[in-house]
Amino acid sequence: MARKKIALIGSGNIGGTLAHLAGLKELGDVVLFDIAEGLPQGKALDIASSSPVDRFNANFSGANDYSAIEGADVCIVTAGIARKPGMSRDDLLGTNIKVMQSVGEGIKKHAPNAFVICITNPLDAMVWVLREKCGLPHNMVVGMAGVLDSARFRLFLAEEFNVSVEDVTAFVLGGHGDTMVPLIRYSTVAGIPVPDLIKMGWSTQEKIDAIVDRTRNGGAEVVALLKTGSAFYAPASSAITMAEAYLKDKKRVLPCAAFVDGQYGLDGIYVGVPTVIGEGGIERIVEINMDAEERGMFDKSVDAVRGLIDACIGIDPSLG
Ligand code: A3D
């Protein structure tokens, strides 16, 4: 059986980490693509040189021409610019729309059957633009944000409760930004919902509210510390989890920026919702019950995403 082909479009901090993880997990052969000459080739050679040491079998190559991604099974897109301190994700919009144009055309021509995972920010708007530009079916184009946001939420909850991160599940809905909706009611330690843990005296509402706030600002906290860019280890792990769910038909239930059309009363928008990822790409969108307060937060988040999409159409009227 031929190995799967994974194309990484953008070979910066996240792209390089993705390549390394894809190798370590033997998900397939990896092509790194970037507009910067030498960068994808250098990272490909460096990671390939670690394969005899870490004992994994995968071919790595670097390219500056889209023909190299021909026939890819998975494309993970990180091309564009990342945040620096003081920048919001939305500040990236103008530059990254143009990048999505060329990436979309490259995927359309060379990898029309791929499962495409977008990471470029501002995420919910960029995955929408990328889908418009590449024209692939909506179920095959998805944005990575919820896996990362819920991982941050899980980490902070595990630290608060002094339990293993493995036993904490956490739930995050909505857009990837300050309006994201971490849902306490659906977050658990080994099945025990967080509100029950508060009643059991494991924490207080105030402390959990502070954790929700920290989760919403988790990306900015890393940006402020790094000073030269944004988070890349956890974003790469999160996207690899999604790619693996697709390649191995795992039917994982993962929160992703998926195209929602009808569900949640929404009409054709990319936003963070629980999904099932398997060989069919986004096979299902899971519709959960929200109380009035949760729905209010979700609607606010959806409005913020719509605002970004309108801004994209303002910059590139062909998107309208
Ligand atoms: P960085 O290390 O700067 O890498 C980006 C790469 O894209 C660079 O190597 C560029 O040369 C390359 N590039 C620029 N324009 C093009 C183009 N037209 N075609 C191909 N390659 C191009 O950034 P990064 O890897 O740290 O982050 C990548 C993106 O992910 C940024 O937009 C971040 O904001 C975003 N990001 C998203 C999340 C989410 O949770 C959604 C988290 C962290 C970062």
Side-chain angles (χ1 to χ4, degrees):
M1 194 169 56
R3 283 193 205 139
K4 297 293 184 187
K5 177 168 175 176
I6 298 155
L8 306 175
I9 305 181
S11 305
N13 281 337
I14 302 179
T17 314
L18 285 167
H20 195 197
L21 288 174
L24 288 168
K25 288 177 175 264
E26 292 193 329
L27 293 185
D29 291 334
V30 177
V31 177
L32 288 130
F33 172 92
D34 205 288
I35 47 168
E37 281 181 25
L39 179 72
Q41 292 84 353
K43 289 198 177 181
L45 178 58
D46 190 17
I47 294 166
S49 305
S50 77
S51 65
V53 184
D54 283 321
R55 295 167 177 267
F56 57 84
N57 293 286
N59 295 327
F60 292 84
S61 57
N64 305 109
D65 189 307
Y66 273 105
S67 59
I69 75 164
E70 191 68 41
D73 298 287
V74 170
C75 294
I76 308 183
V77 178
T78 58
I81 54 166
R83 282 196 288 172
K84 303 249 164 37
M87 287 172 93
S88 78
R89 293 181 178 90
D90 304 357
D91 292 335
L92 310 173
L93 199 71
T95 305
N96 287 351
I97 283 183
K98 292 195 200 95
V99 174
M100 290 307 104
Q101 162 100 32
S102 57
V103 174
E105 285 165 6
I107 292 175
K108 185 179 194 164
K109 185 160 179 212
H110 295 286
N113 298 316
F115 182 55
V116 179
I117 302 169
C118 180
I119 307 184
T120 302
N121 269 321
L123 192 269
D124 307 270
M126 287 306 102
V127 65
W128 179 79
V129 173
L130 181 63
R131 210 305 308 173
E132 292 297 307
K133 297 294 183 187
C134 74
L136 270 59
H138 286 101
N139 61 306
M140 294 298 278
V141 183
V142 64
M144 185 294 294
V147 177
L148 170 64
D149 294 330
S150 57
R152 288 179 174 145
F153 197 17
R154 286 171 68 191
L155 170 69
F156 303 149
L157 288 172
E159 286 177 349
E160 168 63 8
F161 298 136
N162 194 22
V163 297
S164 165
V165 289
E166 287 179 57
D167 296 321
V168 180
T169 63
F171 212 103
V172 173
L173 281 180
H176 180 59
D178 310 337
T179 60
M180 80 177 74
V181 188
L183 287 183
I184 294 173
R185 211 156 58 90
Y186 285 102
S187 303
T188 75
V189 172
I192 310 165
V194 170
D196 290 0
L197 293 166
I198 295 173
K199 283 185 203 142
M200 287 156 61
W202 280 38
S203 185
T204 62
Q205 188 63 49
E206 292 68 41
K207 282 186 177 167
I208 299 298
D209 288 346
I211 286 174
V212 165
D213 228 45
R214 189 173 178 203
T215 302
R216 284 203 178 107
N217 296 308
E221 189 176 340
V222 176
V223 170
L225 290 165
L226 292 180
K227 295 182 185 69
T228 51
S230 55
F232 53 99
Y233 293 111
S237 297
S238 303
I240 287 291
T241 293
M242 293 164 65
E244 196 175 14
Y246 170 72
L247 290 167
K248 298 185 180 169
D249 189 25
K250 283 184 145 191
K251 319 273 188 214
R252 295 256 352 239
V253 181
L254 298 169
C256 301
F259 188 70
V260 183
D261 197 14
Q263 300 93 340
Y264 291 99
L266 298 176
D267 157 21
I269 189 171
Y270 271 92
V271 70
V273 288
T275 66
V276 177
I277 300 184
E279 64 179 350
I282 298 293
E283 295 185 347
R284 256 190 292 162
I285 286 171
V286 183
E287 269 189 283
I288 60 153
N289 284 321
M290 284 183 259
D291 63 24
E293 194 194 352
E294 291 160 351
R295 183 72 214 200
M297 289 192 286
F298 182 66
D299 287 345
K300 205 172 135 204
S301 189
V302 169
D303 285 347
V305 175
R306 280 198 202 287
L308 278 177
I309 289 175
D310 288 344
C312 292
I313 295 170
I315 293 168
D316 178 354
S318 75
L319 286 164

